[in-house]
Amino acid sequence: MRIEAVELRVVELPLRFPFETSFGRQTAKRCILVTAYADGLAGWGEVPVFAAPLYNEETVETAWHVLRDFLIPLLQEPLPHPGEFARRAAHVRRHHMAKAGLEAALWDLYCQAQNLSLKQALGGVRDRIEVGVSLGLEPTVPGLLRRIEAFVDQGYRRVKLKIRPGWDVEVVQAVRRAFPELPLQVDANAAYTLEQTPIFEAMDGLGLLMIEQPLGEADLLGHAHLQRRLRTPLCLDESIVYPQDAHQAIALEACRVVNIKPVRLGGLDAARRTHDLCARQGVPVWCGGMLETGIGRLTNLALASLPNFQLPADLSTSDRYFEEDLIDPPVVLGPDGTIEVPTEAGVAPRVDLRRVERITLRRERFSPRG
């Protein structure tokens, strides 16, 4: 592929409900969409960064800068395969969401040119993905219970609760009493320290699927110590920034499950390598999300079709977050609590350009050759 141009645009979609975690509250999704052009085709990717550097170091402004000044110029020479992009960009430190958004657009071009679905291109094996729903911090426990009941009634197979100090043990106990058979997990987004181990010991008998990222992202030793104290599997998210991080975490026995987000790892190539590494070690993985629009969600669904994605994904339907998504048809939940893996040749056939245009705040086109 010889990339002729890359277009960046900032878009903003209001969320149907505010989404709050230990590092902030969101009422709208502002992100960058990437469109790469080659041979009469347009490939789409998403950079689901936040407005502030709270999940990782990236923001909308930094991602735009890194894409424009460092990543797009790497496409001056023809690209034989999207997997080559990760090697070209390896010298650019971190900024994995920016890399992942551009790489996704290149995968989309490749799939269209080869008349392949992204699932086929990645080596996926599943036609449908078992999914769960992630719930942010709620104002009250009764309100949280009502929301869980509504999602269970819709057919979601698993619920994930966000926790933080002061909103943890008693909340999870209340949910477990109300839903004794519900597959349930919690996510701390690195909000705790090892000194707060008793909080997790108090949750250890509640039959949780996992406890996700309880400690700081750099604290693999702390996670290993905590895992030895618990029967409940620990899952690492923010700690796994490179495939080798998963290797080290497994070797240290710092977790028993790994969350894979392609945008956290730098793209689909790195996500697939992390998947393969965990599979060789017998460690199950599952696919997380970043409140992506349908463009990023379709990419994640294809990734989650790989064989070692053994646990329900955080890839809920379009209407979970948005009144009107950017794809048509939208992502919908089947009666069995699963979502269909896209079968189209790439993501582009489902992008609704009119909707994208309506919510575009900023747009600029760049040539890789300057």
Side-chain angles (χ1 to χ4, degrees):
M1 296 184 295
R2 179 174 288 279
I3 306 303
E4 299 153 8
V6 176
E7 186 173 70
L8 304 180
R9 62 173 83 212
V10 176
V11 299
E12 183 172 281
L13 268 175
L15 296 177
R16 293 187 66 198
F17 306 98
F19 192 82
E20 186 172 352
T21 69
S22 61
F23 40 63
R25 187 172 191 264
Q26 285 185 269
T27 58
K29 179 63 184 179
R30 179 176 292 199
C31 64
I32 295 175
L33 299 182
V34 182
T35 314
Y37 296 91
D39 302 320
L41 301 172
W44 289 78
E46 180 173 340
V47 185
V49 285
F50 294 141
L54 302 177
Y55 177 80
N56 70 354
E57 75 279 4
E58 294 176 88
T59 68
V60 171
E61 291 303 318
T62 65
W64 186 285
H65 159 58
V66 170
L67 283 160
R68 178 192 64 204
D69 295 334
F70 300 103
L71 299 181
I72 293 172
L74 298 177
L75 300 175
Q76 293 182 31
E77 299 299 322
L79 194 75
H81 187 274
E84 169 65 21
F85 176 73
R87 287 177 280 279
R88 288 191 190 180
H91 66 285
V92 178
R93 300 288 183 91
R94 302 279 293 236
H95 296 284
H96 283 179
M97 291 192 188
K99 292 178 181 177
L102 180 52
E103 192 214 51
L106 300 174
W107 275 102
D108 194 25
L109 279 176
Y110 175 80
C111 287
Q112 293 176 66
Q114 300 296 319
N115 196 29
L116 293 171
S117 70
L118 184 54
K119 168 195 161 181
Q120 292 173 309
L122 293 174
V125 298
R126 293 187 181 88
D127 295 326
R128 301 192 70 88
I129 305 301
E130 184 178 358
V131 296
V133 65
S134 177
L135 296 182
L137 303 170
E138 295 288 329
T140 67
V141 172
L144 174 63
L145 297 178
R146 287 192 296 270
R147 295 210 65 202
I148 292 173
E149 183 175 21
F151 284 118
V152 170
D153 288 345
Q154 290 176 34
Y156 285 101
R157 293 188 176 187
R158 181 270 289 155
V159 168
K160 182 173 84 171
L161 304 176
K162 296 289 187 178
I163 60 172
R164 68 179 178 194
W167 181 267
D168 42 46
V169 177
E170 292 183 358
V171 175
V172 181
Q173 289 172 336
V175 173
R176 180 50 83 209
R177 284 193 300 270
F179 301 93
E181 304 300 324
L182 177 66
L184 186 66
Q185 66 194 64
V186 299
D187 181 8
N189 289 116
Y192 295 82
T193 66
L194 194 58
E195 287 70 29
Q196 294 165 300
T197 293
I199 291 172
F200 301 103
E201 290 176 330
M203 288 190 276
D204 203 25
L206 297 177
L208 300 178
L209 292 175
M210 68 187 79
I211 298 170
E212 186 179 353
Q213 197 68 44
L215 311 180
E217 64 178 59
D219 195 3
L220 290 183
L221 291 177
H223 280 101
H225 179 83
L226 180 59
Q227 182 65 93
R228 289 194 293 270
R229 302 283 295 270
L230 303 175
R231 297 186 302 275
T232 306
L234 294 187
C235 169
L236 292 182
D237 175 356
E238 288 94 331
S239 293
I240 311 301
V241 181
Y242 298 95
Q244 56 264 41
D245 294 335
H247 174 72
Q248 293 174 5
I250 294 167
L252 290 169
E253 298 183 355
C255 65
R256 296 176 190 159
V257 180
V258 169
N259 173 319
I260 292 183
K261 296 174 181 172
V263 296
R264 190 191 66 237
L265 285 155
L268 290 166
D269 182 74
R272 187 167 55 173
R273 286 188 283 120
T274 305
H275 163 276
D276 294 348
L277 183 153
C278 291
R280 290 193 297 271
Q281 297 295 320
V283 173
V285 302
W286 61 284
C287 189
M290 297 290 294
L291 306 187
E292 286 94 342
T293 73
I295 293 170
R297 197 165 301 270
L298 294 179
T299 301
N300 287 344
L301 283 166
L303 176 68
S305 70
L306 293 173
N308 194 39
F309 283 91
Q310 300 181 32
L311 297 161
D314 268 353
L315 300 176
S316 43
T317 59
S318 291
D319 64 6
R320 161 69 179 94
Y321 297 112
F322 310 112
E323 292 288 351
E324 190 176 53
D325 205 345
L326 302 183
I327 57 171
D328 188 25
V331 173
V332 296
L333 189 68
D336 61 349
T338 66
I339 291 176
E340 184 180 16
V341 178
T343 58
E344 300 91 347
V347 171
R350 285 172 70 172
V351 175
D352 190 319
L353 189 55
R354 289 176 299 175
R355 296 181 191 171
V356 172
E357 293 285 359
R358 284 203 306 268
I359 64 164
T360 295
L361 305 178
R362 174 186 179 190
R363 176 172 56 193
E364 193 168 352
R365 182 181 286 223
F366 305 95
S367 167
R369 286 163 291 282

